[in-house]
Structures are given as structure tokens and as C-alpha cells.
Amino acid sequence: MLPDDNDPDRSTQPLYNTRRQVLAGSAGALGVLALGGAFAAPAAADDDEYDEAPEMIENEFEDDIEILNFARTLEALEFRFYEQGLDNISEDELTDSDVLSDFGDPITDNVYDYLGTIRDHEEIHFEVLGAVVEELDGDPVDEPEFDFGSTVEEPDEFIATAIALEDTGVSAYAGAAPFIENEDLVPPALSIHSVEARHASFLRVLDQEAPFPAAFDPALSKSDVLDIASQFIVDED
């Protein structure tokens, strides 16, 4: 689970409950009807199967460059997280872990390679976003220094934190995309968003969670996302 900033011993906390609290809280805060109820679930639908679409959140971005650099920072965080986790945790340690104990072939035969593919996707996203910023005559944001603690050393924490980061990434793109001004940037942004959702679904299956828990995903604001990400970013001051 993600650490709690208000807990002085947050570095020793397990990751699972806080992750769910962060994401559930975000969904609750943003789960209000959009467009006067136009996106409400059907009246006869089971409440456990349908949520309400989130409304537009406040724009906290100055321009497209800031949006792209925001996404670039998140992709750097995800890339380095998977890179360090797969460097520290062996394939045998992962496949023999508690989180994968109920799985057999073909999941355990492929999970390590699949996680490597996710790592590679995040690196590609990071590099491409930087290139687009340069094409727009902007300066790509520098990659921060990250400290993931035991989340990149313990298999169960690794998978739980990966879910948290991917879920946050999906909601971050959903929150930022509506404020993109250059329409040419929308298709590639949405294509990254859908890939992040695929990552999140796969990882949720590994943790024996529903891969698609609701009909709508919450949209997170820039400040909400950075509050989550900052827990892994080393303060350079």
C-alpha cells in the first residue's frame, strides 16, 4: 500500500490498505454525475456493478507543455519502479511469492516477462513524451530521484504498489486529457491511457482483484496525483 504521509513510521507500513483507501477516496470524491445525470447508470442496474461518471475537475495546468511534463514524470516513476523491482526480485522469488501462490501455468510462466514488457512500455512513454515536448519547443522535465523502499524488494509489496501506481496513472490521464489544447495530442494521449489501463487490469488479476472493478474510472487532479507520486520522490532541497 502507499505510505501515509501523516504516519511517522510510514516507511514500515504494509502497502495494501492505504492503496485501496487512496483510490477509493478519490473515486468517492469525484463520483458525481456529469451533465445533469446524462451518464448515470441505468435505473435498474445493480449498484455493485455500476458507478457514476466523474464530472470535469479543475484545470491546474498552464498549457500543453505542463501536461506533457506531468505525464512524463509519472512515466519516469513507473519505469524506474519496474526497473528496480525486476532488478531486485528474481523470477523465482516472484513466482514463488504468496501473491502468486494460487496461480499455475501459464501465469507463472509468463508473469516476469509481462512485467518486463510493462517496464519497457513505461520507458517508451517517458522518452516519447520528452520528444513531443521538444517538438513543441518546450524543455522536457528532468527525471526526479526516486526511493521506493521495500516496495521494490518484496514481491507482494511490489505487485500491490504496481497496482496503485497503474491505477493512479489511469486516473491521472483521465484527469489531464480534457485540458489538452492541441487536438493533435489527444489521440496519442488516449493511446497511452488505454495501455496504462491494460497494465492495471493485468496487475489486478495477479492480486486476485477484479480487473475492471467499476463502469467508470475516477479522474484525479494534478495535485492529487502529485501527492501520491511525491511519496516516492526524494526531496532535493
Side-chain angles (χ1 to χ4, degrees):
M1 65 192 71
L2 291 171
D4 182 356
D5 277 338
N6 295 319
D7 190 333
D9 295 323
R10 72 177 193 176
S11 61
T12 64
Q13 284 192 327
L15 291 165
Y16 307 95
N17 292 335
T18 305
R19 171 174 63 80
R20 294 189 175 95
Q21 290 166 1
V22 167
L23 297 175
S26 299
L30 296 169
V32 292
L33 289 179
L35 301 180
F39 288 97
D46 187 334
D47 288 342
D48 292 333
E49 296 180 1
Y50 289 87
D51 288 340
E52 297 172 344
E55 67 178 4
M56 180 76 76
I57 61 178
E58 181 180 354
N59 183 7
E60 298 179 352
F61 300 99
E62 291 186 2
D63 53 29
D64 288 348
I65 297 296
E66 186 173 349
I67 293 175
L68 293 167
N69 275 329
F70 165 72
R72 177 174 160 86
T73 297
L74 295 181
E75 298 294 348
L77 185 152
E78 292 178 325
F79 163 49
R80 296 303 182 187
F81 170 77
Y82 288 109
E83 179 183 59
Q84 293 182 30
L86 295 177
D87 283 348
N88 292 332
I89 302 169
S90 70
E91 183 171 4
D92 288 341
E93 289 173 329
L94 184 66
T95 55
D96 292 340
S97 64
D98 289 342
V99 72
L100 296 182
S101 61
D102 292 335
F103 290 100
D105 302 341
I107 293 292
T108 54
D109 283 349
N110 294 296
V111 64
Y112 203 78
D113 288 340
Y114 288 162
L115 291 170
T117 299
I118 294 176
R119 174 203 58 210
D120 295 344
H121 287 171
E122 311 299 9
E123 182 180 18
I124 292 169
H125 295 164
F126 171 74
E127 297 293 346
V128 167
L129 287 165
V132 174
V133 169
E134 290 180 338
E135 288 179 7
L136 297 176
D137 297 324
D139 295 320
V141 66
D142 291 333
E143 178 183 342
E145 180 182 350
F146 301 109
D147 183 357
F148 299 105
S150 62
T151 68
V152 291
E153 298 171 354
E154 300 294 336
D156 292 353
E157 289 189 29
F158 178 63
I159 295 299
T161 306
I163 298 170
L165 294 180
E166 295 293 349
D167 279 352
T168 300
V170 171
S171 294
Y173 275 94
F179 303 115
I180 295 174
E181 297 177 356
N182 184 340
E183 63 182 17
D184 292 337
L185 299 177
V186 174
L190 293 179
S191 70
I192 293 177
H193 178 254
S194 62
V195 170
E196 296 293 339
R198 292 172 188 264
H199 295 168
S201 293
F202 171 68
L203 287 157
R204 281 178 165 274
V205 168
L206 295 184
D207 202 34
Q208 300 188 49
E209 296 186 37
F212 27 77
F216 302 98
D217 278 321
L220 292 179
S221 69
K222 175 187 175 183
S223 57
D224 286 336
V225 172
L226 292 181
D227 280 345
I228 296 171
S230 65
Q231 299 172 72
F232 298 109
I233 297 176
V234 175
D235 189 351
E236 298 179 353
D237 294 336

